[in-house]
Amino acid sequence: MTTSLGDAATAFVGVPARTQTYRNLLYLLVAFPLGTAYFVVLTAGLSMGTGLAITVFGVPILLATLALAHVLTNVEAVLANRLLGTDASSASLNADDGLLAAAKRLVTAPRTWLGLVLLFGRFVYGIVALTALTTLVSLSVSMLAAPVTYSTAYHVGLQLGGASVGPFESGTLVVDTFPEAVGVAVAGLAVGVVSLHLLNGLARVWGVATEALLGTATTN
């Protein structure tokens, strides 16, 4: 029991030393720009294709948008596999039996529509990831920086209710001595470790969602 508790404590505190942690952080960091790009491009393609559906251009635009979504879905699978260690499957577009047959497979394949769900969901996830990343990292860094900022006019940190984290010159928590600032920095270490676990969990959630929507390579 003691060994198990010790191993658990070591694993908990050792999260900053794990390479996977930084892969997860990178995945969260690119989530917003990628999600935004997916949303803009796919929304434009689907809207234009739908608007021109009664003309000769509408259907080709819609098919091209679905084909692009298929490619982007594979990109997402590869990205999740490389950074999150998932086993999401990829699928190729086969046009050996003609473009008409390939277009029919593209439209009728469940993966096409599940991929669209994943890509549009990436936009929402990107907003959540960016918010969590900036908030938790900013809070941790500002607390760790307390010993060098507590007596300066340079403000780093966040206002958390009545507590000011940064130069500590206002609020119910006022830190204006070096020992107090060191205490805040020590607390910042704990906040940083917990924040990394929360961010790791947020990354794993999308990894699980990606596998659930796209299937795994072993079962595809």
Side-chain angles (χ1 to χ4, degrees):
M1 183 66 174
T2 303
T3 302
S4 297
L5 290 175
D7 291 344
T10 300
F12 184 84
V13 175
V15 64
R18 291 199 286 271
T19 304
Q20 185 59 50
T21 296
Y22 300 97
R23 292 196 183 102
N24 292 343
L25 291 178
L26 178 58
Y27 188 82
L28 294 175
L29 187 64
V30 301
F32 180 72
L34 283 180
T36 302
Y38 296 159
F39 182 82
V40 171
V41 172
L42 294 177
T43 299
L46 293 174
S47 299
M48 185 181 301
T50 302
L52 296 175
I54 59 174
T55 72
V56 70
F57 302 105
V59 172
I61 291 175
L62 285 174
L63 290 175
T65 303
L66 291 181
L68 176 61
H70 181 94
V71 173
L72 295 178
T73 299
N74 284 339
V75 170
E76 276 297 297
V78 172
L79 191 63
N81 292 344
R82 294 287 180 85
L83 294 181
L84 302 183
T86 60
D87 193 27
S89 66
S90 297
S92 59
L93 282 174
N94 186 356
D96 291 343
D97 51 353
L99 291 178
L100 185 60
K104 181 178 179 181
R105 280 195 302 272
L106 181 66
V107 173
T108 58
R111 182 188 174 88
T112 299
W113 306 103
L114 292 175
L116 281 175
V117 171
L118 179 73
L119 296 173
F120 278 114
R122 190 81 146 99
F123 175 63
V124 178
Y125 177 77
I127 296 174
V128 174
L130 180 64
T131 302
L133 193 62
T134 54
T135 300
L136 294 175
V137 171
S138 297
L139 176 59
S140 302
V141 170
S142 63
M143 293 181 71
L144 288 169
V148 295
T149 61
Y150 75 99
S151 61
T152 70
Y154 177 65
H155 181 80
V156 295
L158 304 171
Q159 184 75 24
L160 304 175
S164 179
V165 181
F168 310 106
E169 295 173 352
S170 64
T172 57
L173 174 62
V174 179
V175 178
D176 53 10
T177 68
F178 183 71
E180 290 174 339
V182 170
V184 172
V186 172
L189 286 174
V191 171
V193 169
V194 172
S195 296
L196 288 178
H197 280 286
L198 292 175
L199 293 171
N200 279 342
L202 182 60
R204 283 194 292 269
V205 164
W206 198 250
V208 171
T210 301
E211 283 189 336
L213 287 171
L214 303 184
T216 61
T218 56
T219 60
N220 187 47

